[in-house]
Each structure stands twice: as structure tokens, then as C-alpha cells.
Amino acid sequence: MRKFLVITIPIVTLVLFIFVMESDIFLKRPLGKNDSIPESINAVVNDIQKDDWDKAVKDTNNLSDVWKKVVRRVQFSSERDEINAFSINLARLRGSILAKDRAGAFSELYEAYEHWEDLGK
């Protein structure tokens, strides 16, 4: 029995760790109605294209809230640099929207989208 436990426990532990580290593909998917990062980014892009800066501020706050939900799920299976880069893009996006800088806002949004795509690769 002891030999069985000595072999089984490390194998099960390793399989569990591998599963957690590779689970980002499933955890990036939306689990509810309002936790889709790509949809939130598209909403902000549409607001900026229409020059609706007040709605862009609201949708950016919504994007930030969605990111806070999603980052809890993917933090163990993704690189910390990608997570930090996405958060920095959100901060810069807020500044660009505050300054009503379309080019800067689009740049930050598309860079954030690229970080989202690279998350977990």
C-alpha cells in the first residue's frame, strides 16, 4: 500500500499541475453573459469610431471590470508579463479616452487585443 501511495501521489499531483497550467484555453472563454474580453474591446472601438467619448468611458470601465473577472481565472495558466501588459494597456486607454485621442486609443485597444490573443500561448 505504501509503494502505491508513494507512486500515485506524485503522479496525480503532476497531472493536476499540468492541467492547471494548460487550462487557459478553456478559462479564456466567457463563462457568463458579460465576461467576454473581445466583445468589450469591440464595444469601446465602436464608441471611439462614433466619437461617443462618454460611452467609451463607460465601456472602458466595463472592460476593466470584465478583465478583473477573467484575470482571476487565467492568472495561474498565463504569463505574468502578458497579464501586466494588458493591465497597462487599459490604463493607457483610459488616458487616451480622457484626452479624446483616437489614434492613441485605437493603438492601445488593438495592442490589448493582441495581448489577449497571446495570453496562455
Side-chain angles (χ1 to χ4, degrees), residues 11-54:
I11 291 174
V12 169
T13 304
L14 286 173
V15 168
L16 178 68
F17 287 157
I18 291 170
F19 176 74
V20 167
M21 291 174 62
E22 295 296 322
S23 65
D24 58 340
I25 295 169
F26 304 109
L27 297 177
K28 278 177 56 176
R29 295 181 185 159
L31 299 179
K33 291 182 179 179
N34 58 353
D35 66 343
S36 174
I37 295 288
E39 286 179 11
S40 298
I41 289 175
N42 287 334
V44 178
V45 167
N46 291 335
D47 295 338
I48 294 171
Q49 286 175 341
K50 296 175 186 174
D51 284 329
D52 190 358
W53 296 102
D54 294 329

XYZ file of all heavy atoms in Angstrom, residues 11-54:
355
model
N 2.337 11.346 -9.105
C 1.794 11.319 -10.463
C 0.508 12.134 -10.532
O 0.322 12.938 -11.450
C 1.578 9.868 -10.940
C 2.926 9.187 -11.156
C 0.737 9.833 -12.220
C 2.833 7.722 -11.486
N -0.376 11.967 -9.585
C -1.621 12.730 -9.559
C -1.335 14.219 -9.400
O -1.964 15.067 -10.049
C -2.555 12.205 -8.440
C -3.735 13.137 -8.220
C -3.030 10.804 -8.768
N -0.377 14.551 -8.562
C -0.011 15.950 -8.361
C 0.532 16.563 -9.643
O 0.154 17.682 -10.014
C 1.031 16.076 -7.231
O 0.507 15.466 -6.049
C 1.366 17.510 -6.955
N 1.407 15.855 -10.336
C 1.947 16.360 -11.591
C 0.864 16.537 -12.652
O 0.840 17.535 -13.369
C 3.043 15.434 -12.112
C 4.379 15.500 -11.382
C 5.306 14.411 -11.899
C 5.007 16.858 -11.550
N -0.042 15.595 -12.740
C -1.142 15.704 -13.702
C -2.025 16.904 -13.369
O -2.440 17.654 -14.264
C -1.957 14.393 -13.744
C -3.259 14.569 -14.513
C -1.133 13.272 -14.338
N -2.289 17.125 -12.112
C -3.094 18.274 -11.687
C -2.398 19.583 -12.045
O -3.023 20.508 -12.584
C -3.367 18.208 -10.186
C -4.167 19.366 -9.603
C -5.592 19.322 -10.131
C -4.148 19.312 -8.097
N -1.108 19.687 -11.785
C -0.359 20.901 -12.110
C -0.332 21.140 -13.620
O -0.483 22.278 -14.069
C 1.053 20.834 -11.563
C 1.142 20.995 -10.069
C 2.235 20.505 -9.390
C 0.152 21.628 -9.354
C 2.331 20.644 -8.003
C 0.228 21.778 -7.980
C 1.325 21.287 -7.305
N -0.150 20.103 -14.394
C -0.146 20.248 -15.846
C -1.514 20.703 -16.338
O -1.624 21.575 -17.205
C 0.292 18.934 -16.526
C 1.776 18.684 -16.256
C -0.002 18.959 -18.016
C 2.257 17.314 -16.676
N -2.559 20.144 -15.782
C -3.910 20.554 -16.161
C -4.140 22.035 -15.859
O -4.690 22.762 -16.682
C -4.957 19.699 -15.439
C -6.355 20.139 -15.711
C -6.949 19.884 -16.939
C -7.083 20.820 -14.748
C -8.238 20.298 -17.197
C -8.374 21.237 -15.001
C -8.954 20.973 -16.233
N -3.741 22.505 -14.690
C -3.921 23.911 -14.317
C -3.112 24.814 -15.247
O -3.596 25.852 -15.704
C -3.523 24.142 -12.841
C -3.407 25.619 -12.530
C -4.534 23.487 -11.918
N -1.888 24.406 -15.569
C -1.033 25.241 -16.409
C -1.513 25.294 -17.859
O -1.268 26.279 -18.554
C 0.407 24.739 -16.345
C 1.036 24.970 -14.993
S 2.660 24.241 -14.826
C 3.560 25.122 -16.071
N -2.214 24.290 -18.327
C -2.695 24.255 -19.701
C -4.183 24.590 -19.833
O -4.748 24.480 -20.914
C -2.440 22.871 -20.312
C -0.977 22.533 -20.443
C -0.247 23.473 -21.402
O -0.834 23.861 -22.425
O 0.910 23.829 -21.100
N -4.812 25.024 -18.781
C -6.252 25.256 -18.787
C -6.647 26.620 -19.328
O -7.827 26.932 -19.385
C -6.803 25.097 -17.371
O -6.270 26.101 -16.527
N -5.697 27.434 -19.761
C -6.023 28.778 -20.217
C -6.936 28.785 -21.437
O -7.738 29.698 -21.606
C -4.744 29.551 -20.524
C -3.896 28.864 -21.568
O -4.081 27.657 -21.762
O -3.065 29.536 -22.186
N -6.864 27.773 -22.265
C -7.717 27.702 -23.447
C -9.192 27.684 -23.028
O -10.027 28.343 -23.640
C -7.389 26.451 -24.278
C -5.968 26.555 -24.823
C -8.388 26.246 -25.403
C -5.453 25.270 -25.422
N -9.495 26.965 -21.973
C -10.871 26.872 -21.506
C -11.254 28.068 -20.637
O -12.392 28.522 -20.674
C -11.068 25.579 -20.709
C -10.697 24.356 -21.480
C -9.568 23.644 -21.158
C -11.463 23.933 -22.546
C -9.200 22.507 -21.872
C -11.119 22.803 -23.271
C -9.976 22.090 -22.935
N -10.316 28.570 -19.869
C -10.628 29.640 -18.928
C -10.723 31.012 -19.587
O -11.286 31.931 -19.006
C -9.581 29.663 -17.812
C -9.539 28.406 -16.950
C -8.413 28.497 -15.927
C -10.868 28.192 -16.251
N -10.188 31.170 -20.793
C -10.315 32.436 -21.511
C -11.706 32.614 -22.097
O -12.125 33.730 -22.358
C -9.290 32.509 -22.646
C -7.924 32.924 -22.200
C -6.916 32.927 -23.321
C -7.285 33.776 -24.488
N -6.239 33.836 -25.521
N -12.401 31.531 -22.289
C -13.743 31.610 -22.858
C -14.690 32.276 -21.871
O -14.565 32.107 -20.664
C -14.262 30.224 -23.188
C -13.489 29.538 -24.266
C -14.074 28.188 -24.556
N -13.243 27.485 -25.530
C -13.247 26.184 -25.690
N -14.048 25.443 -24.967
N -12.463 25.631 -26.580
N -15.693 33.004 -22.389
C -16.669 33.622 -21.488
C -17.489 32.555 -20.760
O -17.953 31.597 -21.364
C -17.560 34.440 -22.416
C -16.936 34.422 -23.748
C -15.896 33.364 -23.778
N -17.644 32.739 -19.476
C -18.436 31.804 -18.682
C -19.832 32.341 -18.396
O -20.709 31.601 -17.989
C -17.722 31.496 -17.366
C -16.347 30.832 -17.479
C -15.762 30.603 -16.093
C -16.433 29.530 -18.241
N -20.015 33.636 -18.601
C -21.307 34.258 -18.358
C -21.682 35.172 -19.508
O -21.076 35.141 -20.576
N -22.672 36.003 -19.261
C -23.144 36.903 -20.305
C -22.213 38.095 -20.515
O -22.117 38.611 -21.613
C -24.539 37.418 -19.961
C -25.604 36.367 -20.018
C -26.953 36.944 -19.722
C -28.021 35.867 -19.808
N -29.346 36.391 -19.513
N -21.577 38.552 -19.464
C -20.797 39.791 -19.595
C -19.352 39.606 -19.145
O -18.829 40.430 -18.399
C -21.469 40.911 -18.803
C -21.635 40.574 -17.344
O -21.368 39.461 -16.922
N -22.081 41.530 -16.575
N -18.705 38.576 -19.629
C -17.285 38.427 -19.313
C -16.473 38.038 -20.547
O -15.568 37.240 -20.482
C -17.057 37.463 -18.153
C -17.447 36.037 -18.459
O -18.190 35.835 -19.437
O -17.024 35.126 -17.736
N -16.799 38.680 -21.670
C -16.084 38.433 -22.918
C -15.188 39.637 -23.216
O -15.686 40.733 -23.485
C -17.068 38.210 -24.061
O -16.370 38.102 -25.278
N -13.899 39.413 -23.172
C -12.939 40.486 -23.436
C -13.052 40.984 -24.880
O -13.117 42.202 -25.098
C -11.508 40.020 -23.103
C -11.348 39.737 -21.609
C -10.474 41.029 -23.587
C -11.327 40.943 -20.726
N -13.078 40.115 -25.898
C -13.178 40.626 -27.275
C -14.432 41.474 -27.520
O -14.368 42.491 -28.206
C -13.185 39.363 -28.133
C -12.465 38.353 -27.321
C -12.850 38.659 -25.900
N -15.562 41.067 -26.960
C -16.780 41.860 -27.125
C -16.650 43.217 -26.451
O -17.106 44.230 -26.990
C -17.985 41.113 -26.552
C -18.452 39.963 -27.389
C -19.641 39.227 -26.770
O -20.225 39.753 -25.799
O -19.965 38.140 -27.255
N -16.031 43.254 -25.291
C -15.843 44.520 -24.585
C -14.901 45.440 -25.348
O -15.126 46.650 -25.426
C -15.296 44.263 -23.175
O -16.204 43.500 -22.420
N -13.844 44.875 -25.928
C -12.918 45.686 -26.728
C -13.636 46.232 -27.962
O -13.493 47.417 -28.300
C -11.678 44.860 -27.118
C -10.806 44.608 -25.884
C -10.871 45.567 -28.201
C -9.622 43.694 -26.119
N -14.443 45.402 -28.609
C -15.186 45.860 -29.790
C -16.175 46.967 -29.442
O -16.391 47.877 -30.248
C -15.906 44.698 -30.458
C -14.956 43.782 -31.192
O -13.888 44.200 -31.621
N -15.338 42.525 -31.322
N -16.780 46.899 -28.263
C -17.706 47.951 -27.841
C -16.977 49.286 -27.705
O -17.476 50.332 -28.149
C -18.376 47.567 -26.520
N -15.780 49.271 -27.124
C -15.012 50.503 -26.975
C -14.568 51.022 -28.342
O -14.607 52.232 -28.606
C -13.807 50.292 -26.032
C -12.976 51.554 -25.925
C -14.266 49.853 -24.650
N -14.160 50.126 -29.234
C -13.760 50.530 -30.588
C -14.927 51.221 -31.297
O -14.760 52.288 -31.911
C -13.264 49.311 -31.411
C -13.144 49.647 -32.882
C -11.932 48.827 -30.875
N -16.111 50.653 -31.201
C -17.289 51.254 -31.836
C -17.608 52.620 -31.250
O -17.979 53.539 -31.984
C -18.499 50.327 -31.707
C -18.353 49.071 -32.531
O -17.625 49.044 -33.519
N -19.027 48.009 -32.113
N -17.468 52.769 -29.947
C -17.729 54.064 -29.309
C -16.746 55.122 -29.796
O -17.128 56.271 -30.050
C -17.635 53.949 -27.784
C -18.709 53.052 -27.207
O -19.749 52.847 -27.874
O -18.508 52.548 -26.094
N -15.499 54.754 -29.919
C -14.483 55.717 -30.362
C -14.694 56.071 -31.830
O -14.528 57.230 -32.224
C -13.073 55.160 -30.100
C -12.840 55.042 -28.589
C -12.012 56.057 -30.722
C -11.577 54.313 -28.215
N -15.087 55.107 -32.644
C -15.359 55.392 -34.054
C -16.507 56.380 -34.210
O -16.512 57.194 -35.124
C -15.677 54.110 -34.812
C -14.466 53.251 -35.073
C -14.816 51.927 -35.723
O -15.964 51.479 -35.678
N -13.815 51.294 -36.328
N -17.475 56.318 -33.307
C -18.624 57.228 -33.347
C -18.358 58.533 -32.599
O -19.243 59.377 -32.508
C -19.842 56.547 -32.729
C -20.321 55.331 -33.488
C -21.451 54.652 -32.742
C -21.841 53.358 -33.401
N -22.854 52.623 -32.606
N -17.160 58.691 -32.036
C -16.797 59.857 -31.210
C -17.736 60.028 -30.020
O -18.021 61.150 -29.595
C -16.773 61.141 -32.044
C -15.542 61.222 -32.909
O -14.491 60.696 -32.506
O -15.630 61.832 -34.008
N -18.232 58.943 -29.489
C -19.071 58.961 -28.293
C -18.165 58.696 -27.089
O -18.075 57.578 -26.583
C -20.169 57.905 -28.412
C -21.225 58.026 -27.329
O -21.079 58.909 -26.456
O -22.187 57.249 -27.366
N -17.497 59.738 -26.633
C -16.465 59.590 -25.609
C -17.041 59.227 -24.246
O -16.409 58.516 -23.469
C -15.615 60.851 -25.532
C -14.864 61.085 -26.803
C -15.163 61.977 -27.791
C -13.714 60.357 -27.261
N -14.271 61.864 -28.831
C -13.367 60.879 -28.530
C -12.954 59.330 -26.740
C -12.290 60.410 -29.266
C -11.875 58.865 -27.469
C -11.555 59.399 -28.717
N -18.255 59.717 -23.944
C -18.866 59.367 -22.650
C -19.179 57.877 -22.582
O -18.927 57.222 -21.567
C -20.151 60.180 -22.437
C -19.866 61.667 -22.280
O -18.779 62.001 -21.767
O -20.730 62.473 -22.679
